[in-house]
Amino acid sequence: MTAEFVVRNWNAWAPGISSREDWLKFQVFAEQQKAAIPAAVPKTLQRRLSPLARAVFNAADGCVDNALPIVFSSAHGEVNKSLEMLKSMQKGEEVSPTAFSLSVHNAISGLFSMAYDYHREITVIAPGQDGIAPAFIEALGILQEGRAEQVLIVFYDEPLSDFYPSLPFALNAPAVCALALKISLTGSGLPLQLNRTSAHRDDGEHALQIFSFIEFLVADEQSLVLGNHRHSWEWFKK
Amino acid sequence: MENELKQLIIDTLDLEDIGVADIDSHAPLFNDGLGLDSIDALELGLAIRKKYNVKIDAEKEDVVKIFASVATLADYIQAARG
């Protein structure tokens, strides 16, 4: 499979990053910086935004446009919220309805559609071990079908609670991170080609691939290959 | 009772910028008033059950009337506790 598209615009958020060059020397800072909540978010919804949701809103705010479909992609979503609920159930406490409503995989996209009064189609992908490629495939499908001229892809993940033994799998994010990427089939921007390759390699799962992809966008490298033992994908700057 | 209930609402629903004095006992809690929604109603119902041991059954009670304002909610809790 080969597909060509153009990155029209992108924006990303992680703690300690203040310029695009910062992504090339990213390191995890001890302080727990939270993303600013965009001015567009109504007051009554602001209290519902988790640190992960704030990162997503912050990254997407600069790229949002009511005319385009959105594909959200996250491996773990708000699973840390689910864990907290399970712990409270174990203690015999009743589960908070608010916590439950905000723990499901499409919770952040739901909040987003309310905050921005968004009426276009929204898809939320849980790619499992398959990394960031499935979201590209979904977005390219929407573009190929002619349902929209541009699609916004929003990748996000946060570090998992220590409760989950993530090793030996490379699936844990080093920090909260969200990347919003506006793509189209033609137009001005960064032209990319996406190819499926036969390489057998392990470049970490979704949470780590977001960082790799942002670095690729910023750096001079011509291509980026991300694989997970089974499939590998190559993004190539044309 | 009303002030205690206002504090419970603020704490339960994370209304960070609002104080007890900002909530009018007779103003609507939902939509127009404080701008609370159905999830808030469920959360508040749970908090009231925990704190006052009063269960508000959505199938048997007129929840719209009970949750109309802080005053109506306080009346209901007081009556239910006897």
Side-chain angles (χ1 to χ4, degrees), chain B residues 7-73:
Chain B
Q7 194 58 53
L8 181 73
I9 291 170
I10 291 166
D11 296 341
T12 306
L13 306 180
D14 297 324
L15 304 175
E16 286 169 2
D17 304 333
I18 291 179
V20 167
D22 299 323
I23 303 178
D24 179 346
S25 293
H26 299 281
L29 278 175
F30 293 89
N31 302 323
D32 299 344
L34 276 180
L36 306 182
D37 60 22
S38 57
I39 293 285
D40 292 318
L42 288 170
E43 195 70 38
L44 208 48
L46 178 65
I48 288 166
R49 191 153 74 235
K50 273 187 191 166
K51 190 172 167 92
Y52 300 107
N53 202 22
V54 169
K55 191 171 188 299
I56 302 169
D57 188 337
E59 284 178 14
K60 291 184 194 149
E61 316 278 357
D62 187 350
V63 287
V64 175
K65 263 189 192 153
I66 296 168
F67 281 101
S69 67
V70 170
T72 58
L73 199 51

Side-chain angles (χ1 to χ4, degrees), chain A residues 136-189:
Chain A
F136 280 96
I137 295 165
E138 181 72 21
L140 288 165
I142 293 171
L143 293 173
Q144 290 292 350
E145 281 188 339
R147 274 141 67 196
E149 293 200 349
Q150 298 185 17
V151 174
L152 183 64
I153 311 176
V154 185
F155 301 96
Y156 59 95
D157 262 313
E158 69 178 350
L160 285 171
S161 159
D162 291 343
F163 176 85
Y164 296 106
S166 58
L167 292 174
F169 304 102
L171 53 71
N172 207 358
V176 180
C177 183
L179 163 66
L181 200 68
K182 195 192 283 188
I183 68 165
S184 61
L185 293 180
T186 56
S188 60

Side-chain angles (χ1 to χ4, degrees), chain A residues 8 15 20 37 42 81 83 93 137 159 215 231:
Chain A
R8 305 297 293 263
R20 292 199 166 182
I37 297 175
K81 272 205 164 85
L83 177 64
E93 293 168 4
I137 295 165
E215 269 180 47
H231 316 291

Side-chain angles (χ1 to χ4, degrees), chain A residues 189-211:
Chain A
L190 173 68
L192 291 182
Q193 196 179 62
L194 175 60
N195 304 304
R196 190 168 176 177
T197 78
S198 55
H200 278 264
R201 44 189 290 159
D202 179 13
D203 298 287
E205 294 183 19
H206 190 273
L208 296 161
Q209 292 189 7
I210 302 172
F211 284 92

Side-chain angles (χ1 to χ4, degrees), chain A:
Chain A
M1 179 198 139
T2 293
E4 296 187 351
F5 60 96
V6 179
V7 174
R8 305 297 293 263
N9 185 14
W10 66 272
N11 192 37
W13 190 90
I17 298 283
S18 53
S19 73
R20 292 199 166 182
E21 289 67 40
D22 284 352
W23 288 104
L24 297 177
K25 46 183 168 47
F26 179 79
Q27 44 185 294
V28 181
F29 296 95
E31 81 260 32
Q32 285 297 307
Q33 188 196 356
K34 277 189 196 166
I37 297 175
V41 182
K43 200 100 192 141
T44 46
L45 281 178
Q46 289 183 10
R47 64 199 163 100
R48 300 248 166 94
L49 303 193
S50 65
L52 183 60
R54 290 169 68 128
V56 167
F57 278 48
N58 194 285
D61 187 68
C63 300
V64 76
D65 167 348
N66 252 310
L68 65 162
I70 308 180
V71 176
F72 288 93
S73 175
S74 178
H76 310 304
E78 296 274 24
V79 73
N80 292 329
K81 272 205 164 85
S82 300
L83 177 64
E84 289 308 311
M85 285 194 299
L86 289 170
K87 283 180 177 169
S88 69
M89 285 165 79
Q90 192 181 32
K91 280 189 261 172
E93 293 168 4
E94 286 181 88
V95 171
S96 154
T98 312
F100 174 71
S101 78
L102 297 176
S103 71
V104 296
H105 202 63
N106 56 7
I108 291 178
S109 67
L111 285 171
F112 192 88
S113 73
M114 286 161 76
Y116 287 85
D117 195 19
Y118 216 81
H119 296 277
R120 281 304 303 258
E121 68 191 277
I122 289 178
T123 310
V124 187
I125 287 180
Q129 296 181 314
D130 287 333
I132 60 171
F136 280 96
I137 295 165
E138 181 72 21
L140 288 165
I142 293 171
L143 293 173
Q144 290 292 350
E145 281 188 339
R147 274 141 67 196
E149 293 200 349
Q150 298 185 17
V151 174
L152 183 64
I153 311 176
V154 185
F155 301 96
Y156 59 95
D157 262 313
E158 69 178 350
L160 285 171
S161 159
D162 291 343
F163 176 85
Y164 296 106
S166 58
L167 292 174
F169 304 102
L171 53 71
N172 207 358
V176 180
C177 183
L179 163 66
L181 200 68
K182 195 192 283 188
I183 68 165
S184 61
L185 293 180
T186 56
S188 60
L190 173 68
L192 291 182
Q193 196 179 62
L194 175 60
N195 304 304
R196 190 168 176 177
T197 78
S198 55
H200 278 264
R201 44 189 290 159
D202 179 13
D203 298 287
E205 294 183 19
H206 190 273
L208 296 161
Q209 292 189 7
I210 302 172
F211 284 92
S212 306
F213 195 82
I214 297 170
E215 269 180 47
F216 169 63
L217 287 172
V218 176
D220 293 329
E221 269 85 42
Q222 196 70 26
S223 77
L224 170 73
V225 180
L226 295 173
N228 68 346
H229 298 299
R230 294 176 295 166
H231 316 291
S232 292
W233 298 89
E234 179 192 37
W235 288 262
F236 186 79
K237 288 175 187 160
K238 288 197 290 173

